[in-house]
Amino acid sequence: MSSLQALCSGLPLRPLPKNRGRQAGVPHAPVRTPGLSPAEKQLALRNALRYFPPDVQNVLAPEFAQELQLYGHIYMYRFCPDIEMRAYPVEQYPCRTKAAAAIMHMIMNNLDPAVAQFPQELVTYGGNGQVFSNWAQFWLTMFYLSKMTEEQTLVMYSGHPLGLFPSSRSAPRLVITNGMVIPNYSSRMEYEKLFALGVTMYGQMTAGSYCYIGPQGIVHGTVLTVLNAARRYLGIEDLAGKVFVTSGLGGMSGAQAKAAVIVGCIGVIAEVDKAALEKRHKQGWLMEVTDSLDQCIKRLREARKKKEVLSLGYHGNVVALWERLVHELDTTGECLVDLGSDQTSCHNPFNGGYYPVQLSFTEAQSLMASNPAAFKDLVQESLRRQVSAINRLAEENFFFWDYGNAFLLEAQRAGADVEKKDASRTEFRYPSYVQHIMGDIFSQGFGPFRWVCTSGDPQDLAVTDELATSVLEEAIADGVKASVKLQYMDNIRWIREAARHRLVVGSQARILYSDQKGRVAIAVAINQAIASGRIKAPVVLSRDHHDVSGTDSPFRETSNIYDGSAFCADMAVQNFVGDACRGATWVALHNGGGVGWGEVINGGFGLVLDGTPEAEERARLMLSWDVSNGVARRCWSGNRKAYEIICQTMQENSGLVVTLPHDVGDERVLQQALQL
């Protein structure tokens, strides 16, 4: 068993660790099919071997070549550390700086088997969200972090640690870029080749930026989404007896079962992978499971009648579930579902993100590797069938939304009936959850703010929960707009429910949706508690990249921007640069995330609070920018709520001066001008 000291000592070479290969009994990533030519295979092998001195290359070359042949990528299984991979208390890491130790804490959390979807392939969530491309990169990164001073910055190129470079104390300690491929070559096919070559990486969002906190983040987002969907579509606050049908119980989607229980509805979640379903059941996140559609429908009816709170996992394909719900409607006249969505990894539909209804799970995995073209055809047929069933149910009092996983985008590409008449490129027959449910929340500056207590002590997390609740309650008492008060109240309820439902998996972390004022006030309160000793160790502030300013994604985060700029990525890039300039401990910029490679540019940050006045000043500056950037962009695109928020913020902060748009309301002026 390795120690943390050994883990920070560089690549283990003399002697080489034993090659234990793929570990049995843990989930593994699907086999990739990059389609490399013989010359490209040789290049991939050469790229992997350059991490190692010549005297061990003759041992490693054959096994790396075998990995490439069997799995479509060189993961370097031999170098998977023989240590319990988890987020250790920060003081246990052998580092020169608190920042470096905090980053190590976050990296090891992303690779914790209790957190990561495919830990041996360094995938945290989403089917292909990599922390690193291979295990050599992990070892080198830990080594560099252990040596780093307050006047150095570690630079990461798509998982590869380029090295430590001199910088100032005010500069970020870590700068990450993932997947920054030249736009004309940023296609899905090119990605598979470039990843197999070991030269780029899909970091999803918080996988490659080391800021994932387990499924708690998406539990919270799903809770807010379902609550607000019920308000918008059903006109209700109480979801008792209402049925929410969806799919996926993996790294992110596994949160849906717990979210259904927290909001008080009946959640029915389909999952083809029995291991994923059993994992959520053993965690207590899924109350009941069945592999029988008859039993699933029977149990659903009982729960509706009794208005039970229930999370029911169906081990089977969601298309079969949707089609059975249509059958029940057509034969009994009863629509058994009220709300619906989909959380398969549809951003990666042909490599394990979506399984076709025509095949079993194992049959699909086999065909995916042996005949990708045939597999793609079946996936697209399955998407068409799924949409057809949803369309039939939507004729009744049933409401469906796209959860930002590229489901409707891929369904459109498959030829499914998802078109919306006279719509823009980002609109479909059903809205994305940003367009109808969460978009106004973003426009007010609310988004997924989070923190991690690096002591690893649950008591520290309890203190931060108490502080955050007090901050929000004081803000309400001081007087806020009704729309802001509603969000604050939802999040106070969330903090209490999160503690009661024991949502921590991995690091001691919490997430809530907050606006600029709330984030700054919570950060200041936490920093002061560290200074006084009430919290025992530094706290890392972060957020999901899926936030007010962090992501340009025309089919998700910016799908409700209608001035034509939804396909532009200035906001996310400016956010990355602006966070770095204003005190972030580390920053990350990614291609891909959520809706898939080439469809989005997104970024994130980590900011270490250590109780010092300097940390408080960094938090005030950086968090204010991190929110106001996106609100200002939404204001300029014509969003009225964002306009009101940015005007109010300018009144309160004389340093903020934003260009405000004028109304262009007279259509006759436009028509007459165009006639000229």
Side-chain angles (χ1 to χ4, degrees), residues 28-345:
H28 288 286
V31 173
R32 310 190 76 91
T33 53
L36 299 183
S37 68
E40 288 168 333
K41 290 179 182 177
Q42 189 172 15
L43 181 58
L45 187 57
R46 180 185 295 276
N47 288 346
L49 289 172
R50 61 186 169 176
Y51 285 101
F52 304 93
D55 63 309
V56 298
Q57 290 179 5
N58 63 325
V59 176
L60 299 177
E63 66 189 55
F64 287 176
Q66 185 180 41
E67 286 186 22
L68 185 63
Q69 181 66 30
L70 292 176
Y71 310 122
H73 188 74
I74 300 171
Y75 297 105
M76 305 184 187
Y77 289 114
R78 177 191 287 268
F79 294 95
C80 183
D82 183 21
I83 190 172
E84 183 185 356
M85 189 69 73
R86 62 182 176 86
Y88 289 85
V90 72
E91 72 274 5
Q92 294 185 21
Y93 291 98
C95 295
R96 297 180 180 182
T97 71
K98 293 178 182 177
I103 294 167
M104 287 181 170
H105 181 93
M106 302 289 280
I107 288 172
M108 293 188 73
N109 186 68
N110 272 25
L111 294 169
D112 181 342
V115 173
Q117 186 178 13
F118 305 126
Q120 273 204 296
E121 287 77 40
L122 303 109
V123 172
T124 300
Y125 71 91
N128 59 349
Q130 303 284 149
V131 186
F132 300 99
S133 180
N134 59 58
W135 283 107
Q137 294 173 348
F138 168 82
W139 283 92
L140 288 172
T141 299
M142 297 295 279
F143 172 73
Y144 284 135
L145 288 169
S146 72
K147 302 299 181 187
M148 184 172 67
T149 72
E150 293 285 6
E151 295 182 340
Q152 289 176 303
T153 294
L154 176 58
V155 176
M156 302 293 298
Y157 280 14
S158 292
H160 169 67
L162 191 66
L164 292 169
F165 292 81
S167 62
S168 69
R169 296 178 69 88
S170 62
R173 298 280 68 82
L174 174 67
V175 176
I176 303 166
T177 51
N178 283 311
M180 291 292 107
V181 174
I182 305 301
N184 279 354
Y185 305 93
S186 188
S187 68
R188 190 175 284 157
M189 184 179 297
E190 286 289 342
Y191 167 72
E192 291 296 337
K193 286 196 173 188
L194 292 171
F195 180 59
L197 292 175
V199 296
T200 198
M201 190 180 86
Y202 185 73
Q204 263 285 0
M205 289 190 163
T206 52
S209 66
Y210 319 147
C211 293
Y212 191 62
I213 59 168
Q216 179 188 164
I218 191 63
V219 171
H220 182 235
T222 305
V223 164
L224 292 185
T225 299
V226 176
L227 281 175
N228 284 290
R231 289 165 180 156
R232 179 180 182 113
Y233 298 134
L234 306 178
I236 60 173
E237 291 283 341
D238 183 2
L239 281 118
K242 300 301 180 183
V243 178
F244 172 51
V245 171
T246 183
S247 57
L249 287 166
M252 290 284 281
S253 55
Q256 298 180 108
K258 180 61 78 174
V261 172
I262 291 174
V263 301
C265 72
I266 300 156
V268 183
I269 306 99
E271 172 58 63
V272 294
D273 184 352
K274 191 172 184 178
L277 184 140
E278 288 178 344
K279 179 178 180 179
R280 297 306 177 199
H281 191 217
K282 287 176 182 176
Q283 284 178 334
W285 287 38
L286 195 60
M287 294 167 65
E288 298 177 19
V289 297
T290 180
D291 58 6
S292 163
L293 266 179
D294 289 342
Q295 176 61 24
C296 183
I297 297 299
K298 178 183 177 183
R299 190 68 186 91
L300 188 162
R301 287 184 187 278
E302 290 173 353
R304 283 185 86 220
K305 185 176 180 180
K306 297 177 182 178
K307 294 190 175 182
E308 292 180 57
V309 175
L310 175 67
S311 58
L312 174 62
Y314 166 59
H315 179 219
N317 197 289
V318 73
V319 180
L321 176 58
W322 285 119
E323 290 180 340
R324 176 60 181 268
L325 289 167
V326 169
H327 173 76
E328 295 296 321
L329 173 62
D330 289 342
T331 56
T332 70
E334 186 178 16
C335 185
L336 297 175
V337 56
D338 302 285
L339 300 170
S341 191
D342 183 279
Q343 271 199 43
T344 54
S345 294

Side-chain angles (χ1 to χ4, degrees), residues 664 666-676:
V664 183
D666 192 339
E667 293 293 328
R668 292 172 300 175
V669 173
L670 304 180
Q671 293 169 1
Q672 290 171 4
L674 290 171
Q675 287 173 358
L676 293 177

Side-chain angles (χ1 to χ4, degrees), residues 433-445:
Y433 74 120
V434 172
Q435 287 170 327
H436 266 201
I437 304 168
M438 301 297 283
D440 278 350
I441 294 173
F442 278 0
S443 297
Q444 295 177 79

Side-chain angles (χ1 to χ4, degrees), residues 348-361:
N348 185 35
F350 311 124
N351 199 28
Y354 182 97
Y355 284 81
V357 67
Q358 305 93 325
L359 303 174
S360 70
F361 182 60

Side-chain angles (χ1 to χ4, degrees), residues 441-442 445-448 519 546-550 571 626-627 630-631 634:
I441 294 173
F442 278 0
F446 282 87
R519 296 186 204 204
H546 164 68
D547 195 15
V548 181
S549 309
M571 179 179 71
D626 194 66
V627 176
V631 177
R634 286 170 165 77

Side-chain angles (χ1 to χ4, degrees), residues 652-665:
E652 297 167 351
N653 184 351
S654 60
L656 178 66
V657 183
V658 172
T659 305
L660 298 175
H662 293 284
D663 288 335
V664 183

